[in-house]
Amino acid sequence: MADVKGTPSEVRKAAIASLFGSALEWYDFFLYGTAAALVFNTLFFPTFNPLVGTIAAFGTNAVGFLARPLGGVIFGHFGDRIGRKSMLVTTLVIMGVATCLIGLLPTYATVGVWAPVLLVTLRVVQGIAVGGEWGGGVLIVSEHAPSHRRGFYSAWSQTGVGLGFVLSAAAYALAQEVTTKESFLAWGWRIPFVVGILLTAVGLLIRLRIMETPAFQEKESEPKKSAPPLLDVIRTHPKSILIAFGARVAETGASYLFLTFSLSYASEIGVDKGVVLAALVVGMLFESFAMPMFGALSDRVGRRPVYIGGAIAVIVWAYPFFALFDSRNPVLIFVAIFVAVVIGHGAMIGTQPAFFTELFASRVAYSGLALGHELASMIVGGFSPIVATALLAWSGASWPIALFLIGMGLVTVFAVAAAPETNPNVLGDGKARQEAEAEEKTKPSDSSPIHS
């Protein structure tokens, strides 16, 4: 992408808006995963035995991931044609309304099979909204930021993702704290969902104040392309899409094992879920502010070394993670989650916004980011807790799950190793990339798969 940047004030405003908007939207999305691990098996699938009910609850969670590529395609198209800002406003409203309605749903005991049907329907709507949000949230910052600080500034959009999890987990911990077990199952679990509509209103006010990105505005002055952005990006950037997909395998697969499956695993081995939830909140809080540090590091040494370092950390920590859990020692469980989340996952997700943005030309960036990012979410992210639960049911032990983590880490290492370094300010690469951008403007379409 070309280095078309906003003023320092506009960059800061875009970063803040992306942070808060992403935090609120992902708060809504993560609420579901937490509820799936804690209560949905009992309330919406009571006719199954507990383990099968947990798999069914995680299955409805996965439905949201199946819908994410659809949201990415829809909002990516209009984000590349109409603008980033309008799509971010739309996705936030859709997510907020769907989340509030989940909190108002009747359970299986009230309406029978219609309860899980309605639950799945609203999860699909959530998936469509969040599938369209991520690419826009990243671009609204990265397309404002100068290339030499793009890693740092764009990582704040991911900080919003981390804080969204912290908010959702904290909301559930508070709801459990102020209710009895019976009242929590009866109505306490609904409170975080319903409160989400108020947070959505706050996020909406913030996002309406941001400007459209300079890169999109410059694109608008260029001759219009007739091909839909989705077809354009598949034709001109196939390698970039595959790299983004592969890079996300360890990042998204590991994150949902750490953040969602770990709660279910804790119950299986007799560990208080409250301990794990508290450890996740602390870990994600630290990770949220480690992300910009990893992004800044990628501005100095390049995107690839930092991203690969995070994937290797996941590989190395796979067995120790479960061994520390199996100790049932709360302190060691905190250590397991802290290292996995802050170092392994943090290095990848903090580098990801700048890395992925620089893989695509501005005219198709929204569609390209959405396609690569959300396909991985659908195939890997949504199903990794289900696979892990099935492996646990099959083996009765954690070692197959650790092998599963290692396999995902290796896929990401190979994918990122196959990518060129996209940071234009390292490896003496900046001049060549500037010349490539200048050449692109003289052509009606460019067939090169990498732009930065």
Side-chain angles (χ1 to χ4, degrees):
M1 62 172 289
D3 189 20
V4 182
K5 58 183 180 296
T7 66
S9 175
E10 290 173 342
V11 174
R12 289 191 295 269
K13 185 181 293 186
I16 292 171
S18 181
L19 188 158
F20 281 99
S22 295
L24 299 178
E25 190 146 356
W26 286 92
Y27 164 85
D28 292 342
F29 195 74
F30 282 133
L31 276 180
Y32 194 103
T34 306
L38 294 177
V39 298
F40 281 173
N41 59 334
T42 301
L43 297 175
F44 290 89
F45 304 97
T47 59
F48 299 146
N49 70 54
L51 184 61
V52 176
T54 298
I55 293 176
F58 281 146
T60 66
N61 187 45
V63 168
F65 289 84
L66 291 173
R68 284 174 66 169
L70 176 60
V73 169
I74 294 171
F75 291 102
H77 174 86
F78 290 106
D80 283 327
R81 287 289 173 87
I82 298 174
R84 291 41 167 137
K85 175 182 174 178
S86 57
M87 296 303 103
L88 287 177
V89 170
T90 303
T91 57
L92 185 60
V93 171
I94 293 173
M95 176 64 83
V97 172
T99 300
C100 182
L101 290 176
I102 289 175
L104 300 175
L105 279 180
T107 62
Y108 189 94
T110 304
V111 296
V113 72
W114 281 107
V117 169
L118 293 171
L119 183 68
V120 169
T121 301
L122 290 173
R123 185 56 173 173
V124 169
V125 175
Q126 277 193 323
I128 291 173
V130 82
E133 194 276 343
W134 188 86
V138 166
L139 288 173
I140 206 73
V141 184
S142 60
E143 290 187 343
H144 271 97
S147 63
H148 69 283
R149 300 295 303 280
R150 185 176 293 135
F152 172 73
Y153 279 117
S154 61
W156 286 99
S157 65
Q158 299 292 66
T159 293
V161 177
L163 291 179
F165 176 82
V166 171
L167 286 172
S168 67
Y172 261 103
L174 181 60
Q176 287 181 308
E177 185 68 25
V178 300
T179 59
T180 64
K181 182 177 180 180
E182 292 74 20
S183 60
F184 179 76
L185 285 174
W187 53 267
W189 69 271
R190 300 177 183 274
I191 296 174
F193 284 92
V194 176
V195 169
I197 197 69
L198 301 177
L199 300 177
T200 298
V202 174
L204 187 60
L205 290 175
I206 294 172
R207 282 194 166 172
L208 287 171
R209 295 171 61 87
I210 58 177
M211 301 288 292
E212 186 54 80
T213 70
F216 180 81
Q217 291 174 344
E218 182 187 67
K219 181 182 77 68
E220 284 295 277
S221 65
E222 298 174 356
K224 300 292 183 182
K225 307 296 190 300
S226 58
L230 179 63
L231 297 181
D232 192 4
V233 75
I234 291 174
R235 181 176 63 84
T236 61
H237 298 67
K239 181 180 178 182
S240 296
I241 295 170
L242 291 175
I243 288 170
F245 177 92
R248 286 218 69 214
V249 168
E251 181 269 308
T252 190
S255 69
Y256 286 101
L257 287 188
F258 298 148
L259 303 180
T260 302
F261 173 75
S262 62
L263 290 167
S264 176
Y265 184 73
S267 292
E268 291 296 321
I269 62 174
V271 172
D272 183 5
K273 286 182 180 179
V275 171
V276 179
L277 201 56
L280 288 172
V281 169
V282 172
M284 286 297 289
L285 189 60
F286 274 88
E287 184 196 17
S288 295
F289 294 99
M291 292 174 193
M293 296 172 61
F294 284 117
L297 182 61
S298 78
D299 285 330
R300 299 181 67 86
V301 304
R303 317 300 183 205
R304 286 179 26 170
V306 181
Y307 207 110
I308 289 175
I312 291 174
V314 168
I315 293 171
V316 171
W317 197 242
Y319 276 102
F321 178 82
F322 287 103
L324 293 177
F325 255 76
D326 291 340
S327 73
R328 297 168 176 80
N329 184 311
V331 174
L332 296 181
I333 290 173
F334 264 81
V335 172
I337 290 174
F338 189 90
V339 174
V341 170
V342 178
I343 298 176
H345 185 247
M348 292 185 286
I349 199 170
T351 310
Q352 194 175 98
F355 179 40
F356 284 14
T357 298
E358 291 164 347
L359 287 171
F360 299 96
S362 296
R363 72 176 189 275
V364 293
Y366 207 137
S367 296
L369 263 68
L371 190 61
H373 189 273
E374 302 312 333
L375 282 175
S377 295
M378 177 185 74
I379 297 173
V380 184
F383 288 97
S384 62
I386 299 175
V387 172
T389 303
L391 288 173
L392 181 62
W394 166 70
S395 66
S398 60
W399 63 264
I401 309 169
L403 284 177
F404 180 44
L405 264 176
I406 290 171
M408 291 190 291
L410 289 173
V411 170
T412 289
V413 168
F414 289 132
V416 179
E421 176 53 60
T422 63
N423 187 337
N425 302 293
V426 299
L427 302 179
D429 200 60
K431 183 177 179 181
R433 293 184 182 279
Q434 290 172 7
E435 291 173 352
E437 285 288 343
E439 182 181 355
E440 179 190 352
K441 293 180 181 180
T442 67
K443 298 179 180 180
S445 179
D446 187 79
S447 59
S448 173
I450 305 292
H451 295 261
S452 64

